[in-house]
Amino acid sequence: MIPVSVVIITNNEADILASCLNAAILISDDIIIIDNNSTDKTLLIARIYGCRIYNETWDGYGANKNKGIAYAKYDWILSIDADEVVDMSLIGALHGLVLNNPDIVYDIPFKTYFEKKLIRYGTWGRDHHIRLFNRKTVKWTETPVHECLILPKNVSVKKLVGHIHHYSVKDEEEFSNKALHYAVLSARKYAANNKKPTLLKLYIAPIFHFIKNYIVLLGFMDGREGFTIAKMIAKQTKLKYHLLKHQPKHHHEKTAKEEENLMMVEY
């Protein structure tokens, strides 16, 4: 084991959590689950693997990850999601690290899957994220969606070998639901920052993102899945700016789920 705490946020992840934890227990003796009222066997699985479990209210992705960081045994944090699996090459690289400089963060390449197919092109095929860092130096932003790490200017980024395998969606229906969910949250985030939905964003941005993913970044090389990914990215872009256009009228009155249901009717 290495002096790193693994932090995972969960909500009904029973169908995928075991694969994630099978790898995590090869890295750390401190695995923290921040759960938001799971009703399936998520917590049972987490207990079997010896995780420390904390049931927390949902305050957003970044906020709940920061809660996990606060509970951690170690200052070094490996942040992963329940649908992500660390491969053996990365596990070996992690065990070889000398973690003595809190001003270093580690960028990890991803392999992302649609159903069980590895996506090699488009934005998914180029995915990488900083996921290993020291909590004395780095924290997550607490925006409603698309949380990112707050990196001080003196931080240096090092790349690791190996991959995190991200099993993103099981099918197109799940992908569509996720796109809608993130569109609602993104619209609220933009509204809170007083961003406006220009005509360019409303009508050109969705087309741009489709062309970028499917043609420029060679998404068509991934076949049917590449087309579906490009289409859903364009759809999410369209929905978030459509919602942003209407945010001032009702974003304080409707829950995120109510807005998702409304958009499902419209689209």
Side-chain angles (χ1 to χ4, degrees):
M1 300 298 104
I2 58 176
V4 168
S5 293
V6 177
V7 175
I8 307 169
I9 59 174
T10 59
N11 175 254
N12 292 334
E13 314 287 359
D15 57 335
I16 53 177
L17 184 59
S19 296
C20 175
L21 294 178
N22 276 330
I25 60 174
L26 300 178
I27 301 167
S28 175
D29 62 358
D30 187 44
I31 302 173
I32 296 163
I33 300 290
I34 301 297
D35 188 72
N36 176 230
N37 298 321
S38 288
T39 55
D40 61 3
K41 294 183 178 180
T42 293
L43 300 185
L44 173 62
I45 294 169
R47 291 189 188 100
I48 290 172
Y49 282 88
C51 303
R52 291 198 284 138
I53 302 167
Y54 300 90
N55 188 51
E56 296 282 350
T57 57
W58 181 252
D59 295 317
Y61 295 97
N64 278 38
K65 288 180 180 181
N66 283 336
K67 292 175 188 178
I69 290 171
Y71 288 124
K73 175 181 176 181
Y74 302 110
D75 287 332
W76 284 95
I77 306 296
L78 177 64
S79 180
I80 56 177
D81 293 337
D83 60 356
E84 296 173 351
V85 179
V86 178
D87 67 19
M88 292 306 297
S89 293
L90 180 54
I91 290 171
L94 292 171
H95 279 272
L97 291 175
V98 178
L99 298 172
N100 59 3
N101 186 349
D103 292 327
I104 296 175
V105 297
Y106 293 90
D107 190 26
I108 301 174
F110 274 55
K111 289 187 176 181
T112 305
Y113 298 78
F114 188 107
E115 298 178 18
K116 294 183 179 181
K117 179 174 179 176
L118 174 63
I119 302 302
R120 301 180 182 276
Y121 301 94
T123 52
W124 283 25
R126 298 163 173 250
D127 209 13
H128 61 94
H129 300 282
I130 295 169
R131 289 295 189 84
L132 178 62
F133 53 88
N134 192 294
R135 67 178 173 186
K136 290 182 176 179
T137 306
V138 176
K139 290 289 190 296
W140 291 99
T141 59
E142 298 194 356
T143 53
V145 67
H146 300 315
E147 72 284 1
C148 61
L149 291 169
I150 304 170
L151 302 178
K153 291 182 179 180
N154 62 323
V155 160
S156 61
V157 180
K158 291 191 175 182
K159 295 185 180 295
L160 289 174
V161 298
H163 295 84
I164 290 177
H165 296 255
H166 182 200
Y167 297 90
S168 183
V169 290
K170 296 190 291 290
D171 52 40
E172 188 168 344
E173 180 181 2
E174 182 186 15
F175 196 0
S176 182
N177 290 336
K178 280 189 173 184
L180 177 56
H181 176 66
Y182 286 123
V184 169
L185 294 179
S186 294
R188 290 189 164 197
K189 175 183 175 180
Y190 288 173
N193 292 327
N194 296 315
K195 290 189 176 182
K196 304 298 181 183
T198 64
L199 291 177
L200 186 67
K201 296 291 187 181
L202 281 165
Y203 300 107
I204 304 301
I207 298 170
F208 169 80
H209 283 291
F210 180 86
I211 293 173
K212 175 184 175 182
N213 278 273
Y214 193 62
I215 298 175
V216 177
L217 298 180
L218 306 181
F220 64 88
M221 296 287 287
D222 285 312
R224 176 183 63 85
E225 291 83 359
F227 176 79
T228 300
I229 291 166
K231 178 181 70 174
M232 287 299 179
I233 290 173
K235 177 182 178 181
Q236 181 179 329
T237 303
K238 178 181 178 180
L239 289 176
K240 72 181 177 183
Y241 288 118
H242 177 88
L243 280 165
L244 178 60
K245 184 178 180 180
H246 296 88
Q247 281 292 300
K249 297 179 181 179
H250 60 63
H251 77 280
H252 292 301
E253 300 167 9
K254 293 183 183 294
T255 66
K257 190 61 181 177
E258 288 172 335
E259 289 191 37
E260 289 176 34
N261 292 336
L262 176 63
M263 295 305 294
M264 288 177 73
V265 171
E266 293 186 16
Y267 286 87

